[in-house]
Amino acid sequence: MHLAHAFPTSALCASLFATGLLAEPQHFSLAEKLLLIALIVASAWLFWKRFGVVVDKILHSRKDPGFQLFPIGKRVWDFFWEVLCQAKVIRERPLPGLAHAFVFWSFLAFALVTLNHVAVGLGIGFLNPAGAFGRIYYWFAAAFALACAVSIAGLFIRRFFVRPIWLSREGHAISYESGVIAGLIFALMATYLAAFFVTDSSLAARLLWWAHTLSLVVFLPLVPHTKHLHLILSPVTIFLSRGSFSQIPPLVGDEDFGLVTGKDLTQLVSLQAYSCVECGRCTEHCPAANTGKSLNPKEIILGVRGYLNEFGPTAEELLLGKYNSQEAAFQCTTCGACEFQCPVGIEHVPIIVGLRRGAVNTGAWEDSHGTKLFLAMERNSNALGMSSAERDKFVQKQELPIFDGSQEYCLWLGCMGGYDPKGREIISSFVEVMRYLGTSYGVLRKEKCTGDPARRLGNDLVFQELAESNLEMMTQQKVKKIVSICPHCVRTIQEDWKDFGAPPEIEHHSEFLARHHARLPHQNTGEKIVYHDPCYLGRYRNVYDEPRTVIAAAGTLVEAERNRERSFCCGAGGGLAFLGEEQGQRVSAVRAQELVATGATTIGAACPFCNTMFRDALASSGENSPRLLDIAQIAANQIKAAPSQ
Amino acid sequence: MSSVLVFLENKNREISRISWEAMAAAHTLAEGLGLPVDLALAASPGNPIFEKIHGKAPRTVYAIDDKLLHDYTADGFTEAYRQLIEHVKPAYVVLPHTYQVRDFAPRLATRFKQVLISDVTGIEAPSGTTTPAFIRQLLQGKLNATYRHPGTGVCFLSVQAGAFRADPAHGGATTLEPFHPKLDAGQIRVKPGEPFRASAQTVDLGSAAILVSVGRGIKEEANLPIVQELATALGAELAASRPICDNGWLPMERQVGSSGQTVAPKVYLAIGISGAIQHLVGMKGSQCIVAINKDENAPIFEVADYGIVGDLFEIVPALTAAVRKVKA
Amino acid sequence: MKIIVAIKQVPERDARIRIDAEAKWIDLRDVEFMMNESDAYALEEALQLKEAHGGEVVVLSAGPERVGKTIREALAKGADRAIHIESDDLAGYDALGVASLLAAAIREDDGEDPDLILTGLQSDDLGLGQTGVILAELLNLPHASLILKIEKTGSGIKVLRELEDGWFQHLELPAPAVLTIQSGNSKLRYATLMGIKRAKTKEVRRVTVADLITVDPGAKPADPVVQLDRVSLPSKQRTTQILSGSPAEAAAALVEKLQFEVRAL
């Protein structure tokens, strides 16, 4: 009894130990036992009736090409950190996330409780509440039950009274099934807690026991019929992720054109579609959904689920049809915020790109800007449709050395660096830095587009031709190390070209600058500089600090409201810089406003596309808009300002 | 005696300027070879159009007369011209390079087992033993090529607009000879409809010969009339770069650029446009680019054929006035 | 409908221009090739007609082995089969000679006579703009040029022709006929992965010039009547002329340029 004094006393705690251990009805009649068995069997059967169908659909989906289970270390870590510790769930939406975490942990904590509860009903209870282990364990479970009850009540209030829009689905704002499940969970916790206040032999205990049991047997079959299927699937989904962020699978054979019909859905896609919890964190961070477009990442995934439910994984109906629209699929900038936010391991970007592939590779996508882009890439090997002579002129004018295999770095200009006036300024600035450092580098005589816009839009024909042609050229030219000013080029060369060969090493110029930071002159003017994390550098490559190092040396670094892994896209990715943007507000305008609102006098960028998008958006801000500079320019300015050595 | 035979073209009851240029080219050629020049025109002898014939006097002017030639058809003109050529037996046949000539002249040349040397921009007179050489452009104007006609038989050539200066107008007496080809209605297989103009309701930047395009340099919506007046004076369509359309100052259909329209007019005036890549890709195919911008380093000047560095608020009104003066 | 589309493979539009050793053409090293632009529009017209009326689209092209890539592109976009006249020395023929070969291949093709023969208006390299019209004469068929739209009618076809200065005209003609197609009238389609994969199984019939002459001795091209003597670079390259002076002076200078050099006023 002295245990009660060792802990902070509250009437409840004291009463738990003083008055009661968990009450367990001691004797169940044969009729009751049979009833219990019947209920369990019925519940399990109803559960399997639906769950079996889902498992079946997943298993009958196509196998994922290129899926590697090993190395397994990262998978185990992700399982531990994301599933058991609920890290992302809590970090990205702290209060509701913590509440959910408590509910989840209660489920785990209750494992033995539930087993014992049923065993007791059959007369073979094994965990005596009065025993040494039993006391501690049941108290431990009770603490969780309390936390869970409070949490579920809070989440209920949030869903039904606060009603954040992200939780709603098109057409129905309130999810009644969530209410029912919440009620059941609350009932389970309440019946458990209440059992501490009654005695073993009382009628109350028996009633509570049956109430708890009924809650259980009703809860179980509801799971596969609702989004609560994630209870079972999401740990598997997180464990079986594709292996890296936004990894686009290869096409296999002559008949594979991407996600065209149900037959093309793979096991991972189906598994992910059924794991969706409808939490809306993806949509909450989506630049398209936030600017009035049709695209809603949650609806894309639920659309795949709806398709699977109605047509199944071997159907011939088009995926972009009843449940998902072509229009929405082509509004995605592939920024990855959705995939990054998803707490149950859904990988949205490969799915959206897969849907695009299905439309583009079969010619079903008819868009005048898209066609113009593809034709430009076919004819001129660059996304802008410019003559390569223009790039040659620039290289000559800037007196850039030609790469001949002897230099350490190959400086990749890319389409923006080679043809866009602003991109060229960034190159010129970076070249200044390299000259200052005495870095040995050269520029290739001929460059073709890395194929990024084609890759993200799903045109594998154009992408393959560009990737193969570039790889061949780089092998011939003996390119070993590349440095590039464009995160899209970096990503495409390092990851996407792997489908067709072994690409050379490549890094982004921010990584180069950070590494040489100590050798570069610093002139801190104290001015406020806000840094915008490019999607393809931040979320895609995990490079957040290096550009900040450069900026912090030149001024006072300020952060936008949405920064680092939550950075809000500039709107250019996914090939969208080349398409028309008709619906809603311009993504670039929204982000530009956010950056301007920080009060910074300079916006620091690290991607020529972000730079170009903001330049247009800032044009409407008038005379007092902040300067827009790439980090290369910020670094070069400090060289210029430094007293000569 | 052989000659140089020039076929003139009747356009809206006038002999087109390019026909006079073809005649001038023919005279250049003929003088070098010491040959006379004959003219031909599909019109009845009484047609007052023949009074318009001027410049160096030709030997004969043939009026090709047949009612089946009243409306142009390839079959009709090919056959009628063929018969005249058989009659006159020239050494050279010169035509103006018009849409109409491109339509029938290759057929005509083939009937003589010849090949038309089309779109000639220069003629090198013969000297000594060399035959004349004809210069035309290849690869969309990036290369000049010199062609010769080593064969026997008639040499057909068509002359590019503006390549030769037409002789100044001064009247002269000419000998008119009517020529009646034998044509059969059954020979004419194509039925032509009435020419018409496309309706001018929707904005069609693609078909405008001149575009006046405005960018951020215009600063405010209220300043647009300055540019609008220039467009009207030039008979041009108004276009804009993206920020102007984004602000709603001009409709989206007028946007030129990567997320707007791609255009290739004869003249593109970029006013207050810096020349960002997204805009350039939409208009770099224009035949002649004129840039007006106060920033001499603006990228637009790199692609422009003509540029004026200065304040558009002064230059554009001056330009409008100058254009009006010339058109008056 | 059976439609034959004659397409030409030309050097890419922005190829670096260097004169070759014989000064008769450009140096083709490092030059990429592509389908002639107006031929791509002709192909598009043909494919749209096939989609509307059924039938087959046959692509016809002459040239060396590398032409195969352009032919495959046409097959990938939807043409049903192709005829490749293999020749490494087309420059040795004049326009009439090349057209004779094309005409022979068309006459010799199996199956029905074509309802329509389409070509682009002119090629991006030589720009003679005559092959289609010559072809019509050799095959003794009616023709129309600068065509923007084609409609099938009960008795033949009705086409929209472009005239100068923004005027247009409709023409009616019987089929079979030859049409030369103007660029820019339709939305081109892009080559798709599915198209390329399917193209692998489509027939490409290869014939040599000798084969054609064997079947039809009359097809032998005569000696060229027009010969390319030499090529040279134009003396004036594109440079930017900055017009200076007061606004009024610069404006006047510009107007003069527009009038006399550009000839746009």
Side-chain angles (χ1 to χ4, degrees):
Chain A
M1 286 305 179
H2 55 274
L3 275 166
H5 301 297
F7 294 90
T9 44
S10 71
L12 189 59
C13 266
S15 69
L16 279 176
F17 281 85
T19 61
L21 308 164
L22 185 70
E24 283 180 349
Q26 289 306 312
H27 176 73
F28 286 86
S29 65
L30 183 61
E32 282 177 309
K33 287 189 183 143
L34 288 175
L35 178 59
L36 176 62
I37 292 173
L39 282 173
I40 291 174
V41 168
S43 176
W45 181 76
L46 282 171
F47 169 84
W48 185 258
K49 186 156 175 275
R50 174 58 190 163
F51 187 66
V53 168
V54 171
V55 170
D56 205 54
K57 287 196 200 244
I58 295 172
L59 291 177
H60 274 99
S61 300
R62 194 164 69 103
K63 283 218 179 323
D64 289 84
F67 177 78
Q68 310 259 23
L69 188 58
F70 292 92
I72 210 160
K74 181 172 187 292
R75 295 185 186 283
V76 172
W77 168 257
D78 284 344
F79 183 86
F80 169 74
W81 192 235
E82 304 295 352
V83 178
L84 298 181
C85 298
Q86 296 275 288
K88 203 189 287 192
V89 172
I90 299 172
R91 186 177 62 234
E92 304 294 341
R93 265 185 193 170
L95 214 47
L98 194 58
H100 176 275
F102 279 128
V103 174
F104 169 67
W105 289 325
S106 311
F107 270 69
L108 293 183
F110 261 65
L112 285 179
V113 169
T114 309
L115 273 176
N116 188 60
H117 176 98
V118 172
V120 158
L122 296 171
I124 46 171
F126 55 87
L127 203 56
N128 189 351
F133 178 69
R135 283 172 196 263
I136 298 175
Y137 179 69
Y138 284 117
W139 176 89
F140 170 75
F144 269 103
L146 191 58
C148 178
V150 169
S151 296
I152 201 78
L155 290 172
F156 182 89
I157 292 170
R158 177 171 180 256
R159 179 178 283 277
F160 290 95
F161 294 95
V162 176
R163 297 203 196 166
I165 49 164
W166 311 115
L167 292 180
S168 66
R169 284 211 60 190
E170 282 169 9
H172 25 276
I174 302 188
S175 164
Y176 290 108
E177 69 175 46
S178 298
V180 168
I181 298 282
L184 285 169
I185 295 176
F186 191 85
L188 284 169
M189 300 301 126
T191 52
Y192 175 78
L193 287 170
F196 281 91
F197 295 92
V198 299
T199 54
D200 279 358
S201 48
S202 61
L203 177 63
R206 188 166 294 264
L207 286 173
L208 281 173
W209 188 94
W210 276 107
H212 193 96
T213 305
L214 277 171
S215 303
L216 280 172
V217 298
V218 168
F219 187 85
L220 184 63
L222 280 183
V223 164
H225 279 286
T226 66
K227 59 185 165 71
H228 298 272
L229 185 50
H230 80 275
L231 291 179
I232 304 169
L233 292 185
S234 64
V236 180
T237 310
I238 291 177
F239 188 76
L240 292 180
S241 74
R242 288 174 196 273
S244 67
F245 188 75
S246 179
Q247 197 185 62
I248 298 173
L251 294 179
V252 182
D254 279 341
E255 293 298 317
D256 186 1
F257 303 113
L259 300 179
V260 187
T261 63
K263 295 207 307 276
D264 302 306
L265 291 174
T266 65
Q267 292 177 334
L268 279 184
V269 175
S270 301
L271 174 62
Q272 290 173 9
Y274 278 110
S275 304
C276 178
V277 146
E278 303 177 30
C279 66
R281 290 174 184 216
C282 50
T283 305
E284 187 181 350
H285 291 88
C286 173
N290 273 296
T291 51
K293 315 283 189 295
S294 311
L295 171 62
N296 179 329
K298 179 162 93 172
E299 295 299 334
I300 296 262
I301 303 303
L302 295 177
V304 175
R305 182 158 86 189
Y307 180 99
L308 281 167
N309 281 338
E310 182 172 337
F311 301 113
T314 53
E316 306 262 342
E317 269 81 358
L318 291 176
L319 283 162
L320 289 178
K322 183 168 170 189
Y323 288 95
N324 271 314
S325 77
Q326 206 187 70
E327 183 193 45
F330 282 92
Q331 289 175 329
C332 174
T333 65
T334 67
C335 76
C338 49
E339 187 168 321
F340 193 90
Q341 288 291 329
C342 183
V344 294
I346 297 173
E347 289 156 320
H348 303 66
V349 179
I351 294 176
I352 294 176
V353 171
L355 290 170
R356 288 175 162 191
R357 276 169 144 174
V360 171
N361 287 332
T362 56
W365 186 50
E366 287 173 8
D367 178 285
S368 55
H369 294 295
T371 303
K372 206 164 76 168
L373 171 68
F374 295 148
L375 292 173
M377 290 175 92
E378 267 177 32
R379 282 167 182 265
N380 300 87
S381 296
N382 68 68
L384 301 161
M386 302 286 281
S387 154
S388 57
E390 298 292 326
R391 179 182 176 275
D392 294 338
K393 271 194 253 175
F394 171 65
V395 170
Q396 269 174 15
K397 207 162 127 184
Q398 296 291 308
E399 293 170 6
L400 300 177
I402 301 295
F403 186 80
D404 58 17
S406 69
Q407 299 103 333
E408 188 187 353
Y409 285 97
C410 165
L411 173 63
W412 179 261
L413 302 187
C415 296
M416 297 304 270
Y419 301 102
D420 178 47
K422 207 65 215 283
R424 287 174 171 178
E425 277 176 43
I426 300 173
I427 291 284
S428 303
S429 297
F430 187 59
V431 161
E432 228 183 285
V433 174
M434 284 198 293
R435 284 194 181 131
Y436 178 87
L437 290 170
T439 311
S440 113
Y441 75 96
V443 166
L444 290 164
R445 241 186 356 101
K446 255 182 102 109
E447 267 180 30
K448 291 190 182 180
C449 178
T450 58
D452 169 75
R455 173 67 155 177
R456 312 298 153 205
L457 283 169
N459 189 329
D460 288 281
L461 178 60
V462 167
F463 178 64
Q464 179 167 359
E465 280 173 10
L466 289 170
E468 285 179 338
S469 177
N470 270 317
L471 279 168
E472 196 188 310
M473 181 265 294
M474 286 188 177
T475 309
Q476 268 176 14
Q477 299 289 320
K478 302 200 189 353
V479 174
K480 298 276 181 311
K481 270 202 306 196
I482 308 175
V483 62
S484 159
I485 57 154
C486 177
H488 288 263
C489 291
V490 172
R491 166 64 182 206
T492 307
I493 292 177
Q494 180 159 72
E495 291 299 323
D496 299 275
W497 281 10
K498 279 188 191 156
D499 280 357
F500 302 107
E505 255 178 68
I506 181 168
E507 69 176 351
H508 183 253
H509 73 301
S510 61
E511 299 169 86
F512 178 95
L513 289 171
R515 200 165 56 244
H516 293 274
H517 187 70
R519 291 177 52 204
L520 292 167
H522 306 307
Q523 296 283 314
N524 197 318
T525 61
E527 79 162 309
K528 281 162 79 172
I529 308 179
V530 62
Y531 176 64
H532 164 82
D533 289 278
C535 305
Y536 275 66
L537 190 62
R539 279 185 291 270
Y540 272 75
R541 198 172 165 81
N542 253 311
V543 171
Y544 299 105
D545 296 316
E546 289 86 331
R548 287 176 164 81
T549 309
V550 176
I551 289 181
T556 310
L557 173 67
V558 301
E559 300 281 1
E561 205 183 307
R562 291 178 284 197
N563 61 67
R564 302 180 82 100
E565 61 274 346
R566 284 190 176 212
S567 180
F568 192 81
C569 185
C570 73
L576 260 59
F578 306 98
L579 306 182
E581 190 181 345
E582 283 93 29
Q583 234 187 356
Q585 296 170 284
R586 284 262 155 86
V587 172
S588 53
V590 168
R591 179 57 167 176
Q593 255 171 30
E594 188 179 343
L595 295 170
V596 169
T598 61
T601 45
T602 296
I603 296 176
C607 170
F609 281 100
C610 296
N611 206 308
T612 248
M613 297 304 277
F614 293 142
R615 198 247 314 262
D616 276 349
L618 289 172
S620 7
S621 304
E623 298 288 318
N624 292 325
S625 54
R627 282 191 310 170
L628 180 56
L629 292 176
D630 182 88
I631 48 168
Q633 293 173 294
I634 291 175
N637 287 346
Q638 290 173 76
I639 293 178
K640 284 199 258 274
S644 6
Q645 265 126 15
Chain B
M1 180 194 192
S2 83
S3 61
V4 175
L5 176 59
V6 185
F7 285 93
L8 305 174
E9 191 169 299
N10 177 347
K11 197 165 164 171
N12 299 331
R13 294 187 219 99
E14 294 280 329
I15 295 178
S16 58
R17 183 173 70 188
I18 187 180
S19 297
W20 296 131
E21 291 169 5
M23 192 175 83
H27 277 292
T28 312
L29 180 63
E31 271 152 37
L33 295 162
L35 295 173
V37 171
D38 294 318
L39 303 179
L41 180 62
S44 57
N47 195 318
I49 199 173
F50 286 103
E51 287 159 28
K52 308 269 179 65
I53 300 208
H54 60 248
K56 298 198 179 117
R59 181 176 67 170
T60 318
V61 178
Y62 293 96
I64 310 172
D65 188 13
D66 192 297
K67 62 179 180 349
L68 287 172
L69 298 176
H70 184 69
D71 289 322
Y72 164 78
T73 59
D75 287 331
F77 273 53
T78 305
E79 182 53 25
Y81 283 23
R82 182 193 69 77
Q83 291 180 20
L84 181 64
I85 293 171
E86 297 276 19
H87 175 71
V88 175
K89 295 189 179 19
Y92 295 87
V93 170
V94 178
L95 304 129
H97 192 72
T98 61
Y99 281 8
Q100 194 176 92
V101 164
R102 292 164 72 170
D103 191 46
F104 74 83
R107 274 204 106 115
L108 181 60
T110 305
R111 287 202 190 171
F112 289 90
K113 299 212 181 347
Q114 295 292 327
V115 173
L116 170 73
I117 305 175
S118 54
D119 214 22
V120 168
T121 54
I123 298 178
E124 271 171 25
S127 59
T129 49
T130 58
T131 53
F134 305 97
I135 301 172
R136 56 186 305 275
Q137 292 171 319
L138 306 179
L139 296 168
Q140 297 123 49
K142 295 187 200 130
L143 211 58
N144 277 347
T146 310
Y147 284 84
R148 281 183 207 280
H149 182 256
T152 51
V154 190
C155 174
F156 290 84
L157 57 135
S158 68
V159 167
Q160 189 182 85
F164 293 85
R165 274 265 145 97
D167 294 325
H170 60 78
T174 55
T175 338
L176 201 59
E177 196 179 301
F179 180 79
H180 300 284
K182 293 180 187 47
L183 294 175
D184 187 306
Q187 286 172 312
I188 298 180
R189 298 169 285 191
V190 177
K191 208 171 90 179
E194 273 303 307
F196 61 92
R197 273 220 127 99
S199 65
Q201 278 161 348
T202 52
V203 174
D204 185 10
L205 297 182
S207 63
I210 307 181
L211 283 177
V212 172
S213 193
V214 59
R216 282 183 276 147
I218 199 73
K219 296 226 167 48
E220 282 166 28
E221 189 175 2
N223 296 331
L224 279 178
I226 300 173
V227 181
Q228 222 129 28
E229 274 177 39
L230 175 61
T232 311
L234 284 166
E237 276 289 355
L238 198 57
S241 65
R242 181 159 153 162
I244 303 293
C245 296
D246 276 358
N247 287 346
W249 298 353
L250 282 176
M252 284 304 219
E253 320 158 286
R254 294 198 182 269
Q255 185 187 329
V256 168
S258 60
S259 49
Q261 292 197 49
T262 303
V263 296
K266 192 150 189 211
V267 184
Y268 188 91
L269 285 112
I271 303 184
I273 292 177
S274 62
I277 193 84
Q278 306 95 296
H279 189 76
L280 284 185
V281 297
M283 43 65 82
K284 63 184 162 64
S286 309
Q287 289 177 43
C288 169
I289 299 172
V290 178
I292 301 175
N293 197 301
K294 69 178 192 301
D295 176 11
E296 62 185 349
N297 292 318
I300 190 83
F301 286 115
E302 286 185 37
V303 298
D305 296 285
Y306 303 104
I308 303 180
V309 180
D311 184 356
L312 70 91
F313 295 103
E314 289 180 17
I315 295 168
V316 173
L319 191 55
T320 308
V323 170
R324 283 195 185 127
K325 212 165 88 166
V326 160
K327 287 215 159 181
Chain C
M1 289 184 91
K2 177 173 169 182
I3 308 173
I4 297 190
V5 185
I7 59 176
K8 185 176 183 187
Q9 187 190 64
V10 295
E12 58 173 342
R13 275 208 158 198
D14 303 309
R16 196 141 68 113
I17 310 287
R18 288 170 301 182
I19 313 278
D20 72 9
E22 289 153 32
K24 289 243 191 303
W25 192 227
I26 55 171
D27 188 344
L28 292 178
R29 285 174 303 166
D30 285 345
V31 167
E32 309 242 349
F33 292 89
M34 53 188 234
M35 189 188 297
N36 182 40
E37 189 174 16
S38 51
D39 292 344
Y41 282 94
L43 177 64
E44 179 62 36
E45 276 305 309
L47 292 171
Q48 286 186 17
L49 284 169
K50 179 175 99 151
E51 278 159 16
H53 304 288
E56 75 168 337
V57 171
V58 183
V59 157
L60 170 63
S61 190
E65 197 192 319
R66 56 170 161 79
V67 166
K69 178 165 176 274
T70 299
I71 289 179
R72 268 192 305 282
E73 191 192 314
L75 292 173
K77 292 193 176 173
D80 297 288
R81 60 186 174 87
I83 305 168
H84 178 180
I85 303 175
E86 287 179 323
S87 164
D88 282 325
D89 184 36
L90 277 186
Y93 303 112
D94 57 19
L96 182 52
V98 174
S100 309
L101 294 173
L102 296 175
I106 291 173
R107 277 192 216 104
E108 192 192 295
D109 187 47
D110 292 330
E112 313 131 32
D113 289 335
D115 296 289
L116 270 186
I117 299 169
L118 304 184
T119 73
L121 180 65
Q122 64 188 60
S123 65
D124 295 332
D125 55 359
L126 299 179
L128 292 164
Q130 301 180 38
T131 309
V133 181
I134 299 176
L135 206 46
E137 181 64 20
L138 291 175
L139 294 169
N140 197 16
L141 294 176
H143 84 277
S145 60
L146 271 152
I147 301 305
L148 297 165
K149 268 208 262 292
I150 308 172
E151 257 175 61
K152 184 168 186 274
T153 63
S155 54
I157 49 174
K158 183 171 162 189
V159 299
L160 177 64
R161 176 171 174 232
E162 182 183 319
L163 301 175
E164 276 134 338
D165 294 334
W167 288 81
F168 301 89
Q169 186 185 39
H170 282 118
L171 302 172
E172 282 177 42
L173 49 160
V178 177
L179 300 172
T180 75
I181 308 296
Q182 169 67 298
S183 295
N185 51 322
S186 274
K187 292 196 166 137
L188 291 181
R189 61 193 67 193
Y190 52 91
T192 65
L193 185 66
M194 185 163 87
I196 285 281
K197 301 270 184 197
R198 303 255 157 96
K200 283 192 206 166
T201 59
K202 293 182 179 174
E203 177 199 329
V204 176
R205 190 157 68 86
R206 291 183 178 77
V207 291
T208 61
V209 173
D211 291 335
L212 290 172
I213 296 174
T214 311
V215 171
D216 174 14
K220 184 170 196 292
D223 290 332
V225 289
V226 165
Q227 263 175 7
L228 175 60
D229 205 30
R230 68 179 188 283
V231 296
S232 60
L233 288 172
S235 48
K236 270 187 301 194
Q237 303 283 7
R238 186 179 190 150
T239 50
T240 309
Q241 285 186 51
I242 301 286
L243 308 170
S244 43
S246 72
E249 286 165 358
L254 180 59
V255 168
E256 210 204 305
K257 299 281 183 197
L258 289 176
Q259 249 194 314
F260 298 109
E261 279 185 32
V262 185
R263 289 185 284 272
L265 289 181

